């Protein structure tokens, strides 16, 4: 029998676990820093609910209606048509992301170990920058941590949905929440923190241009795990009696809460220590360790922060792996263990290339960046956007309105869902595709 989530709560935390990840704790704060703070956050929230939530629901509907892996879902719901290749696309893309995500996951393993040996105490910013560059550009250490991270991911997925993914998320997500909130409270109490709060919550719309909108949308896709078969695959393990609307909204709201709390945990501290918020991707691995080294009880906060980063990354990486595992098990008749081992090997190799692209392979340049940058921007700017576009087009234009209505309202029994269906349908059919296409074009040519 096909495995499934054991409870409604389990399904919600697993989806929230997929959504809340490096995107919230690493990417969101630096993007907010680079794009001018509060105004970016407002655009991000609008796009999350108007565009991304309907896409999330579309993926949910596809997965739960079919109760199959992403490839078979597209194939079966469209009566065996060519749409199955889109399904295959959504199976392959998460593997690319998992490969480089695991490299950053490995960095958090390394930084957790460093914080356990109190390596940040009183070091200067220059030391922190060199510590990071020395680490990522070396050959073996980042390869080792990439291996450890990917191994953890694989082991959890091998155990299965209910006993692996669900159990892990159920224990880790509440813990993650407590840690991030505790750090945020601590950070707000630092002298000089209010400048950071102002930066986060006082909007300056002059900073918002088409590019900022494009990066807000890309970030919202990434953060909600959209455009890859992830949500679809998890939804295929959700019980038919659950409410798609409330589960999707609960996931989107928790994802947003985590991003905002991460912002509140990081920005006030950044300002309290007089640092420019536009530190870019190095924010979490260069700037924060410096700050931890300066602040009272910083050693402990560093341990908590990097543990949180690792846990958040793991609850996301398992969801990426599950997409292809479900495919291999159901379509290619692999055993779960063999599917996991095969995918481990593939992702390990691609990830190793990404990891080495900061050091021995740094001479390989694509579009001005290294292999890691290439995979990151290809997947979050192009592949996720395409995946999301195909998904809404599939639901809005290929599937039947009555079937979507039926799935979304549990056969007409959920009256609130029935009432809002008209608006949702309009968003899925017209607004989402138009918004995705225009923002995508701006992102590329603007
Ligand atoms: N949403 C995850 C994060 O914010 C990343 C992710 C992307 C997970 C795609 C699954 C699929 O880090």
């Amino acid at each position: 029998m096909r495995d499934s989530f054991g409870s409604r709560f389990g399904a919600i935390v697993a989806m929230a676990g997929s959504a809340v990840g490096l995107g919230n704790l690493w990417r969101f704060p630096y993007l907010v820093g680079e794009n001018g703070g509060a105004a970016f956050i407002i655009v991000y929230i609008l796009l999350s609910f108007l565009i991304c939530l309907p896409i999330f629901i579309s993926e949910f509907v596809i997965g739960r209606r079919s109760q199959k892996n992403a490839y078979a879902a597209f194939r079966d719901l469209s009566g065996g048509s060519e749409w199955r290749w889109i399904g295959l696309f959504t199976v392959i893309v998460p593997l690319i992301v998992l490969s480089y995500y695991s490299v950053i996951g490995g960095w958090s393993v390394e930084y957790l170990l460093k914080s356990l040996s109190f390596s940040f105490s009183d070091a200067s910013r220059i030391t922190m920058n060199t510590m990071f560059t020395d680490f990522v550009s070396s050959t073996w250490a980042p390869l080792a941590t990439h291996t450890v991270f990917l191994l953890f991911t694989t082991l959890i997925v091998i155990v299965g949905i209910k006993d692996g993914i669900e159990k892990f998320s159920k224990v880790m997500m509440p813990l993650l929440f407590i840690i991030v909130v505790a750090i945020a409270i601590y950070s707000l109490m630092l002298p000089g923190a209010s400048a950071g709060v102002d930066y986060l919550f006082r909007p300056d719309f002059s900073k918002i241009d088409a590019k900022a909108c494009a990066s807000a949308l890309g970030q919202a896709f990434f953060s909600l795990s959209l455009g890859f078969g992830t949500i679809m695959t998890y939804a295929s393990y959700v019980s038919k009696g659950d409410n798609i609307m409330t589960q999707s909204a609960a996931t989107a709201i928790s994802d947003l809460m985590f991003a905002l709390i991460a912002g509140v945990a990081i920005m006030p501290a950044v300002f309290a220590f007089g640092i420019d918020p536009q530190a870019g991707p190095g924010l979490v691995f260069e700037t924060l360790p410096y700050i931890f080294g300066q602040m009272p009880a910083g050693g402990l906060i560093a341990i908590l922060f990097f543990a949180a980063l690792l846990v958040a990354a793991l609850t996301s990486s398992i969801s990426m792996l599950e997409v292809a595992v479900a495919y291999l098990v159901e379509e290619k008749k692999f055993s779960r263990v063999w599917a996991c081992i095969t995918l481990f090997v593939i992702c390990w190799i691609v990830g190793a290339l990404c990891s080495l692209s900061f050091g021995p392979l740094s001479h390989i340049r694509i579009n001005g960046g290294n292999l890691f940058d290439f995979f990151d921007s290809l997947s979050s700017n192009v592949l996720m956007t395409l995946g999301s576009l195909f998904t809404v087009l599939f639901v809005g234009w290929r599937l039947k309105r009555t079937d979507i209505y039926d799935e979304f309202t549990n056969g007409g029994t959920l009256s609130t869902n029935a009432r809002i269906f008209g608006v949702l349908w309009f968003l899925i059919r017209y607004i989402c595709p138009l918004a995705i296409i225009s923002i995508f074009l701006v992102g590329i040519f603007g």
Side-chain angles (χ1 to χ4, degrees):
M1 210 184 86
R2 207 167 181 266
D3 203 356
S4 64
F5 289 120
S7 67
R8 192 168 301 167
F9 177 69
I12 295 181
V13 282
M15 284 204 184
S18 167
V20 176
L22 295 169
N24 305 61
L25 300 181
W26 168 67
R27 227 159 174 263
F28 182 77
Y30 86 71
L31 282 179
V32 170
E34 282 181 342
N35 289 290
F40 179 82
I41 297 184
I42 294 177
V43 174
Y44 176 80
I45 295 178
L46 281 177
L47 292 174
S48 293
F49 286 93
L50 271 180
I51 310 295
C52 295
L53 187 57
I55 304 175
F56 193 98
I57 293 175
S58 304
E59 287 206 18
F60 210 129
V61 166
I62 297 178
R64 204 185 60 168
R65 183 112 191 132
S66 64
Q67 309 265 302
K68 298 257 170 68
N69 64 85
Y71 168 78
F74 274 93
R75 181 193 62 203
D76 294 358
L77 293 181
S78 69
S81 79
E82 300 301 321
W83 278 97
R84 65 181 186 282
W85 302 117
I86 302 296
L88 194 60
F89 172 87
T90 67
V91 171
I92 295 171
V93 177
L95 292 179
I96 303 179
V97 179
L98 176 57
S99 307
Y100 78 81
Y101 201 87
S102 163
V103 174
I104 320 175
W107 297 352
S108 48
V109 172
E110 169 74 13
Y111 272 69
L112 177 60
L113 296 175
K114 281 193 187 345
S115 62
L116 286 169
S117 60
F118 295 99
S119 313
F120 310 134
S121 49
D122 277 339
S124 71
R125 285 192 70 189
I126 312 278
T127 328
M128 283 301 128
N129 293 355
T130 1
M131 183 193 266
F132 181 66
T133 4
D134 284 354
F135 167 65
V136 296
S137 61
S138 62
T139 304
W140 299 110
L143 275 185
T145 55
H146 157 56
T147 312
V148 169
F149 183 86
L150 199 56
L151 208 58
F152 271 144
T153 305
T154 312
L155 289 176
I156 301 168
V157 176
I158 280 186
V159 182
I161 305 301
K162 204 181 289 118
D163 298 330
I165 294 179
E166 179 174 348
K167 267 211 184 117
F168 184 75
S169 312
K170 259 188 182 161
V171 177
M172 291 305 178
M173 289 307 286
L175 198 68
L176 183 63
F177 183 74
I178 295 171
I179 297 181
V180 182
V181 169
I183 301 178
I185 294 174
Y186 178 87
S187 173
L188 285 174
M189 288 180 341
L190 292 169
S194 59
V197 178
D198 265 12
Y199 185 78
L200 280 173
F201 296 109
R202 192 165 299 157
D204 169 7
F205 284 98
S206 65
K207 299 263 173 49
I208 296 300
D209 53 11
K211 271 247 171 248
C213 291
S215 71
L217 186 69
Q219 168 62 14
F221 283 156
F222 188 82
S223 193
L224 277 171
S225 313
L226 296 176
F228 304 164
T230 337
I231 299 305
M232 230 174 273
T233 306
Y234 270 14
S236 74
Y237 302 121
V238 169
S239 137
K240 284 280 184 192
D242 291 1
N243 185 334
I244 294 187
M245 182 63 212
T246 48
Q247 290 209 0
S248 306
T251 309
I253 291 169
S254 6
D255 187 53
L256 182 64
M257 292 305 295
F258 266 98
L260 292 179
I261 300 172
V264 174
I266 293 172
M267 280 306 160
V270 166
F271 278 84
F273 286 91
I275 290 170
D276 179 6
Q278 306 200 342
L283 185 65
V284 159
F285 294 103
E286 293 169 277
T287 313
L288 280 189
Y290 164 72
I291 294 174
F292 293 143
Q294 306 298 310
M295 65 194 194
L300 178 67
I301 303 287
I303 296 174
L304 290 176
F305 180 82
F306 288 110
L309 196 63
L310 177 59
V311 164
L314 275 172
T315 54
S316 297
S317 60
I318 52 181
S319 71
M320 299 179 202
L321 185 58
E322 178 58 32
V323 181
V325 170
Y327 168 77
L328 288 182
V329 170
E330 290 167 16
E331 302 305 310
K332 303 287 168 206
K333 306 297 169 224
F334 276 56
S335 70
R336 195 167 179 86
V337 174
W338 270 110
C340 287
I341 296 177
T342 312
L343 295 167
F344 172 89
V345 173
I346 298 175
C347 292
W348 188 87
I349 295 174
V350 181
L353 293 175
C354 290
S355 177
L356 295 173
S357 75
F358 290 96
L361 299 183
S362 59
H363 55 281
I364 304 179
R365 311 302 283 180
I366 305 175
N367 263 338
N370 62 14
L371 269 177
F372 178 97
D373 299 331
F374 172 70
F375 282 128
D376 182 26
S377 75
L378 178 73
S379 49
S380 54
N381 300 335
V382 184
L383 302 177
M384 291 194 99
T385 320
L386 285 179
S388 301
L389 180 63
F390 290 139
T391 304
V392 280
L393 290 178
F394 183 64
V395 170
W397 296 89
R398 180 66 176 82
L399 300 185
K400 285 207 203 73
R401 187 183 196 276
T402 43
D403 289 343
I404 308 299
Y405 177 85
D406 183 60
E407 195 62 37
F408 182 66
T409 60
N410 292 359
T413 55
L414 299 170
S415 58
T416 314
N417 293 24
R419 232 171 291 131
I420 57 172
F421 183 74
V423 179
L424 177 70
W425 185 245
F426 179 74
L427 290 172
I428 292 178
R429 235 167 119 84
Y430 302 103
I431 305 298
C432 293
L434 285 177
I436 299 173
I437 293 172
S438 39
I439 296 183
F440 181 58
L441 293 179
V442 166
I444 291 191
F445 301 110

